[in-house]
Amino acid sequence: MSPTLNCILLIDDDEPTNFMNSLVLRKMQVAAQIHAVQSGQDALDYLTSEDKAQHPKPDLIFLDINMPGMNGWEFLEEYKQLDEKDRGHVVVVMLTTSLNPDDRTKADTTPNINEFHIKPLTADAVREVLEKHFGNK
Amino acid sequence: MTQLPPLADPAFPDQNTSLRTLEYTVAALCIGVSLMVMGGWYMEKPAVLSIIPGSATMKFNSALVFLFAGVNLLIYRKATARTKVASDILAGASVLIGLLTLAAYAGIEIISIDNLFVSDPFSETNPGRMSQATALCAILTGLGFWGYQHQNEIAGHIGLIGLKLMALLSLISVVAYLLLIPSEEITSFFQTMAIHTSVLFLALAVALLLRNPYSHFRRILLGRQAGSIIYRKLLPVVLLLPILFSFMLLLGIQKGIFTLQFGVVSYAVLIMTLSLIYVSFIALGLNRSDRERSRLEEDLKQRNAQLDQFKQGMDKTAIVAITDHKGVITYVNDLFCEVSGYAASELLGRTHALVNSGYHSKAFYQNLWDTIEKGDVWVDEIRNQSRDGQYYWVHTAIIPLSVAHGQQSEYLAIQHDITQRKEAEALLKSEYVKNLEFKNKELEQFVYIASHDLQEPLRTIIGFTELLGKDVASGTAENTPLYVEYITQAGQRMRALIKDLLDYGRIGRSKEKVLVDLEQLLSDIRKDMNQRIKENKAMVKVGQLPTLPVFETEIRQLFQNLISNALKFQHTETAPVVELQARELPGHWEFSVADNGIGIADQHKERIFTIFQRLHPKSEYEGTGIGLAHCRKIVELHGGDLWVESQTGKGSTFYFTLKK
C-alpha cells in the first residue's frame, strides 16, 4: 500500500502510546508524515501554526479523550472554533480506553467525530478508517 | 299562639300571581258594579238595579258595601300602618251598615240609613233596605277583612267562619237564581238579595278565603299534591252537575214532562252514574300515578341501598368526617378515630383544629375555606397530629354537600393516610440518601477509573512486550532499552495507581474522632516536610488554629496534601509562599490554604477533585492525580465542603470547612 495521505496527527498525553501508534502507522506506510503531540493545546498550536512546512495540515487526526488539562472533548470545542483553513477535511478519530457508555453516545452525536475506536490502534482499524473516509482499496 | 303559615309562599310565585289577578278582578268587579248601581239609583234606572226584571234590586247601601270591599281588596294586603287603618275603617263601615240594617229589621231604629243617600221608589216593602242576608253578608265581609288584617288566631278564625257562612249564603242565593226559583219562595231571609249582590258576595268570599291564613282552602285548591289535583278535577263536576240536573229536574216537573217522583229518581240515578263514571276515571289516573310513584320509590330504595354499600366501602378505605358550615364535626367514621387516636365522642362537636399539627400556614386554611365556601371541592395534602402527638399525612378532598334552599351547608371530608409515602419522600431528600447517592457516584467512578486509568499502563506493557518479542525474534536490539523503560514506567505507574486506589478506599475506615490540636498537628507536618520546604526555598505561614474532633490520620493527610500541592504547582522562578488560616463561623471552622503558584483555570476547578484527573502532563508535574480526590473525601467524611478560588498564574486558595 502506497502512502495515500500526506500527514497524520496523533494527540495523546501518553508518550509510549504515541510511540506505539506512530510505529503502527509507519509500518503501514499510509502517510508521508506522522506527527505526535502530547496535549490538546499542543495540537491547537500545531494546527494554527503558520509554518506549514514544519507543520503540514493533517489529513487525519487520532485524538485521545482522557488527557490532563484540556481533554479530548475540550479540544473538540476549541477545534470547532478554528478557521476552515486550519481544519480542512480532517477526520477526527477518537482513540480511547474508555468503556464509559456515555462517552460513546457523546462521540456518536458530536459532528466532528467520524470514528470511535478503542485503544490500542491496530493496522486493521487504520485500514478500516482509510477505506471508509479516503476510498482506499 | 300558633305559628302563622306564610301568607305568600315564596316557593310558589305563580300561585301568588294568579291569586293577585283573582283579587284584582274581584276588586274591579265590586267597584265597577257598585258604581254602576249607585249611578242607577241616582238616575233611577231599574234595569241595572235588579238585572232580572221584577226581581230584587241591589240597594244603594249594598253597593256602598261592595265599593268599600273592592277598595279594601286593593289595599288590605299592603302592610303599612296607613293601609291597615284605611282597611279597618272600610271593613268597619260595612259592618256598621250591616248592623244598623239588622237592627232596623229587629225594630230598633237607631239611625235610619235605608234611604240615607237615595230614595227607593221601586221596592214595595222596606224600600231602600237591603235584605237580612245581605246585611249579614256585609257584616261578615268586614269580619273577613279584619280576620286577615289582625293576625291573631281568634280574629282569624272568626273571620274564617264568617267567610264560610257568607260563601254559603251567597251560594244559596246564586243557585236559586240559576234555577230560576223566585227568591220569595225560598225564605224571607233572602227576599231582596239581588243577583249581582249574591254573585259579588260569593266572589268576595272566595277571594278572601283564599287569602285567609287559617283557611286550608287555598292549600287544597292550589296545592301540588295528589289530593289537590283530585280536588281541582272534582270541583267543577261537584259544582256544576247538581245545578245542571236540578235545573233540568225543575224544568221537567214544571213543564209536566215527568212526574216529581220520576224526576227525583232519575235525578238521583243520573247524578250517581255520572259521578261514578267521572270518579272512576280519576281513580284510574290516580292508580296509574300511584304505580309510577311506587316504581320511583323502589328505584329510590335501590339507590339508597347502593349508596349504603358505597358508604360501607368508603368507610373501610377512607378517613371520613362530616362537618357543619362552621367546621364543627358532626360525623366521623371508625378509621378517622383509629388514625387520629381520638374517640368519636371526643371529636363530635369539635373542629379539625383538634388534629391540627401547626404545620400549614393560615393562608393554606384560608384557601381551603374560600374554596369550599364557593361550593368547589378542595383537594390537597394535610399534615395532622394524632392524640399521642404523632404526625400523619392525609390526602384530603373536602366536598361541600348540596343542601335544600335556605339551609346551612355541610362539608364532607374524605381522607387517605399517605404518611408512608410522605416519609419515603422525606427520606429521598435526606442526608442519608444524599450520602448514598454520593457513594454510588464514587463507585461508578471507581469502575470507570479501573477501566481507563489502569488499562492504559497495562496496554503499554502488553504492546511493548510484543514489540520486544518481535525484536528478539528478528535479532534487532536498536529500541530495546526504550521499550524496557516504557514497560518499567508503566509498571511503576500501575503500582502507584493501585496503591492510591487502596488508600482512597481506606479513608475513614478506621477509628473514631479524637480531639486534635491542629496547631500542634501543623507544627508536626512542617517538621516532616522541612526538607522539601527548604529545597523549594518556600515560606509556610500558619495562623492560629483551633482544637477540633477529627480523624487524626486523615486530617494530617489533608493538610499535607494541600501544602504539598501548594509547593508543587509553582512557577519555577518564584519562591513559594503558603499561608494557612482558620476562621470561626457559626457551627464550623473555615480553613484556607493560599499559595502564589500557577493557579487553576475556571473550567478545571471541579475536575481537579475527581480521582486521577490531572491538569498537566506527567512530564511537567508528576503524580497520579489522586491528591485532591483524597482531600475532598476526607473533608466530606467530616461533613464539610472543599472548594478552590484561583486566578491563573497568580495562585490558588483552597478552602474547606470542619464542623465544631
Side-chain angles (χ1 to χ4, degrees):
Chain A
M1 195 187 280
S2 59
T4 45
L5 305 181
N6 182 40
C7 178
I8 293 177
L9 180 63
L10 300 171
I11 311 170
D12 197 314
D13 65 304
D14 188 46
E15 198 195 324
T17 302
N18 274 339
F19 182 91
M20 186 78 90
N21 292 347
S22 303
L23 209 63
V24 171
L25 293 168
R26 216 167 281 138
K27 264 191 184 166
M28 292 175 73
Q29 297 186 324
V30 290
Q33 294 187 51
I34 293 161
H35 288 267
V37 292
Q38 271 186 268
S39 73
Q41 190 53 54
D42 287 354
L44 291 174
D45 291 346
Y46 177 100
L47 290 169
T48 52
S49 166
E50 295 297 322
D51 185 2
K52 292 295 175 194
Q54 275 293 313
H55 304 118
K57 191 159 94 177
D59 300 299
L60 179 61
I61 293 177
F62 287 101
L63 173 70
D64 182 32
I65 294 179
N66 192 36
M67 293 187 289
M70 182 187 290
N71 64 22
W73 302 118
E74 286 165 342
F75 167 77
L76 283 170
E77 284 300 308
E78 298 287 328
Y79 179 74
K80 265 199 296 193
Q81 314 290 324
L82 289 183
D83 278 355
E84 193 65 29
K85 70 173 173 61
D86 291 331
R87 279 191 284 157
H89 297 96
V90 171
V91 178
V92 176
V93 176
M94 303 293 284
L95 270 179
T96 179
T97 42
S98 173
L99 296 178
N100 190 343
D102 292 350
D103 280 349
R104 170 152 293 242
T105 319
K106 202 167 163 189
D108 285 345
T109 53
T110 305
N112 286 309
I113 300 171
N114 296 71
E115 296 279 339
F116 187 91
H117 278 282
I118 303 288
K119 284 178 183 177
L121 184 64
T122 59
D124 284 345
V126 174
R127 242 172 254 125
E128 195 188 307
V129 170
L130 291 176
E131 271 175 31
K132 206 163 162 189
H133 299 286
F134 299 94
N136 270 51
K137 295 281 160 164
Chain B
M1 191 174 157
T2 52
Q3 180 74 38
L4 278 180
L7 300 178
D9 196 335
F12 305 106
D14 51 328
Q15 275 192 20
N16 295 314
T17 320
S18 57
L19 277 182
R20 210 167 303 140
T21 313
L22 176 76
E23 280 176 6
Y24 287 153
T25 311
V26 174
L29 216 59
C30 285
I31 295 170
V33 170
S34 60
L35 288 177
M36 191 178 76
V37 169
M38 286 171 169
W41 280 112
Y42 277 115
M43 284 175 270
E44 303 195 342
K45 293 255 186 309
V48 289
L49 305 179
S50 59
I51 297 186
I52 302 166
S55 70
T57 53
M58 189 197 276
K59 301 298 180 295
F60 188 90
N61 288 350
S62 312
L64 212 53
V65 167
F66 288 122
L67 184 64
F68 294 162
V71 173
N72 212 344
L73 262 184
L74 294 179
I75 61 163
Y76 81 119
R77 277 192 302 112
K78 296 186 181 70
T80 66
R82 221 182 273 175
T83 55
K84 273 189 173 178
V85 172
S87 172
D88 278 351
I89 291 171
L90 289 170
S94 72
V95 171
L96 192 67
I97 291 172
L99 283 175
L100 287 173
T101 306
L102 284 182
Y105 274 111
I108 311 158
E109 198 83 41
I110 307 161
I111 317 163
S112 174
I113 58 159
D114 294 352
N115 295 300
L116 195 62
F117 303 100
V118 290
S119 57
D120 178 3
F122 308 109
S123 307
E124 288 155 17
T125 53
N126 296 329
R129 185 183 298 174
M130 59 176 78
S131 75
Q132 283 140 306
T134 308
L136 186 58
C137 284
I139 296 168
L140 296 177
T141 304
L143 288 178
F145 279 111
W146 261 340
Y148 180 91
Q149 204 63 270
H150 299 274
Q151 291 189 357
N152 73 58
E153 214 174 336
I154 298 165
H157 280 294
I158 290 172
L160 186 64
I161 294 163
L163 287 173
K164 282 176 183 167
L165 187 61
M166 176 171 149
L168 190 68
L169 292 174
S170 50
L171 189 64
I172 292 170
S173 182
V174 169
V175 170
Y177 274 110
L178 283 177
L179 296 182
L180 303 174
I181 297 169
S183 54
E184 294 81 15
E185 288 183 21
I186 319 169
T187 156
S188 64
F189 189 69
F190 287 103
Q191 253 173 23
T192 56
M193 196 190 258
I195 171 74
H196 34 0
T197 307
S198 32
V199 169
L200 284 182
F201 274 132
L202 186 59
L204 263 176
V206 170
L208 287 172
L209 269 175
L210 282 171
R211 275 296 176 189
N212 189 293
Y214 297 97
S215 162
H216 298 297
F217 185 41
R218 171 178 163 208
R219 253 165 249 282
I220 295 171
L221 188 64
L222 300 174
R224 292 185 177 181
Q225 285 98 330
S228 294
I229 294 168
I230 291 170
Y231 184 82
R232 281 196 294 274
K233 280 182 180 164
L234 283 174
L235 197 63
V237 176
V238 168
L239 290 178
L240 295 179
L241 212 60
I243 290 177
L244 187 69
F245 282 112
S246 302
F247 183 78
M248 280 157 62
L249 177 68
L250 281 174
L251 203 70
I253 293 167
Q254 272 170 12
K255 303 265 169 177
I257 300 168
F258 43 74
T259 62
L260 176 67
Q261 286 82 353
F262 177 79
V264 171
V265 170
S266 314
Y267 172 87
V269 170
L270 265 175
I271 289 245
M272 281 193 289
T273 313
L274 287 177
S275 298
L276 268 177
I277 291 169
Y278 190 67
V279 169
S280 302
F281 271 116
I282 289 175
L284 281 175
L286 200 63
N287 285 350
R288 206 167 32 239
S289 62
D290 194 54
R291 274 198 300 279
E292 177 69 9
R293 196 179 49 79
S294 312
R295 200 182 60 72
L296 288 175
E297 226 169 51
E298 200 49 50
D299 202 42
L300 203 66
K301 266 187 205 158
Q302 204 182 332
R303 269 166 203 280
N304 266 336
Q306 276 177 356
L307 274 179
D308 261 357
Q309 288 163 345
F310 214 72
K311 187 180 170 300
Q312 278 175 19
M314 199 162 79
D315 277 340
K316 286 223 170 80
T317 55
I319 301 162
V320 181
I322 297 175
T323 76
D324 68 7
H325 66 286
K326 282 181 184 158
V328 175
I329 298 170
T330 54
Y331 168 82
V332 286
N333 72 348
D334 292 344
L335 210 57
F336 194 113
C337 300
E338 197 182 302
V339 174
S340 70
Y342 290 99
S345 56
E346 292 173 294
L347 290 160
L348 296 177
R350 304 284 300 270
T351 69
H352 276 82
L354 200 62
V355 290
N356 191 332
S357 65
Y359 177 84
H360 303 283
S361 64
K362 264 189 179 174
F364 178 84
Y365 291 107
Q366 189 57 48
N367 168 269
L368 185 162
W369 278 105
D370 287 350
T371 307
I372 59 176
E373 276 173 356
K374 261 193 297 176
D376 293 337
V377 175
W378 181 88
V379 180
D380 211 332
E381 293 170 354
I382 304 181
R383 193 180 83 167
N384 282 338
Q385 191 169 19
S386 68
R387 188 190 185 139
D388 58 7
Q390 294 274 328
Y391 293 122
Y392 63 96
W393 278 92
V394 275
H395 179 270
T396 304
I398 301 181
I399 302 123
L401 296 176
S402 58
V403 288
H405 182 87
Q407 277 187 324
Q408 295 285 13
S409 41
E410 281 189 314
Y411 300 112
L412 169 68
I414 302 173
Q415 306 181 313
H416 287 95
D417 194 334
I418 51 163
T419 310
Q420 282 186 345
R421 196 193 86 202
K422 280 284 177 184
E423 279 172 355
E425 279 175 8
L427 184 68
L428 270 182
K429 291 179 200 151
S430 71
E431 276 300 312
Y432 175 72
V433 171
K434 268 189 197 160
N435 202 17
L436 271 184
E437 277 169 0
F438 173 73
K439 293 259 179 214
N440 258 340
K441 217 175 84 185
E442 207 179 59
L443 211 66
E444 262 173 38
Q445 234 175 37
F446 256 82
V447 175
Y448 181 68
I449 285 152
S451 86
H452 190 278
D453 292 78
L454 294 179
Q455 270 202 60
E456 191 149 312
L458 209 57
R459 204 190 51 245
T460 304
I461 291 169
I462 293 167
F464 284 99
T465 314
E466 277 171 11
L467 286 177
L468 213 54
K470 280 178 191 166
D471 278 8
V472 170
S474 63
T476 49
E478 188 193 337
N479 285 324
T480 308
L482 184 65
Y483 294 170
V484 171
E485 196 197 322
Y486 280 159
I487 291 168
T488 313
Q489 275 177 7
Q492 282 166 346
R493 180 166 166 74
M494 187 127 186
R495 186 169 62 192
L497 287 172
I498 289 170
K499 182 185 170 294
D500 284 351
L501 268 181
L502 283 175
D503 286 349
Y504 184 78
R506 213 176 277 144
I507 292 171
R509 284 271 177 86
S510 55
K511 311 149 295 198
E512 293 191 346
K513 283 184 184 172
V514 286
L515 271 179
V516 174
D517 179 354
L518 294 177
E519 244 169 81
Q520 181 59 46
L521 182 80
L522 257 292
S523 144
D524 293 348
I525 290 172
R526 269 165 78 153
K527 269 180 213 155
D528 291 347
M529 297 179 82
N530 202 19
Q531 184 71 19
R532 256 186 88 185
I533 295 170
K534 269 189 181 166
E535 273 172 15
N536 284 290
K537 297 191 173 67
M539 186 154 56
V540 177
K541 299 184 213 166
V542 179
Q544 280 198 325
L545 299 180
T547 299
L548 290 175
V550 292
F551 296 103
E552 191 176 3
T553 317
E554 279 81 3
I555 284 293
R556 178 190 286 270
Q557 197 185 351
L558 171 67
F559 280 112
Q560 232 164 19
N561 277 356
L562 289 176
I563 295 170
S564 164
N565 276 351
L567 295 176
K568 182 162 128 191
F569 297 100
Q570 256 306 336
H571 307 284
T572 38
E573 67 277 10
T574 321
V577 178
V578 184
E579 246 187 291
L580 209 153
Q581 302 280 352
R583 65 183 181 128
E584 194 173 3
L585 295 170
H588 59 265
W589 282 81
E590 186 189 271
F591 296 82
S592 59
V593 180
D595 63 50
N596 57 341
I598 56 173
I600 299 154
D602 276 350
Q603 69 263 33
H604 295 145
K605 278 180 183 164
E606 253 323 290
R607 207 204 289 172
I608 52 170
F609 296 109
T610 310
I611 194 165
F612 296 145
Q613 283 288 338
R614 309 173 71 259
L615 297 184
H616 309 281
K618 282 159 242 165
S619 50
E620 282 177 46
Y621 297 100
E622 58 178 19
T624 54
I626 202 162
L628 285 173
H630 267 154
C631 292
R632 174 160 277 185
K633 194 172 175 187
I634 291 165
V635 171
E636 278 168 356
L637 182 72
H638 287 83
D641 283 318
L642 170 65
W643 70 99
V644 67
E645 283 170 17
S646 179
Q647 258 187 306
T648 320
K650 289 193 176 169
S652 312
T653 305
F654 283 87
Y655 293 93
F656 64 91
T657 54
L658 292 179
K659 278 186 184 162
K660 278 180 191 169

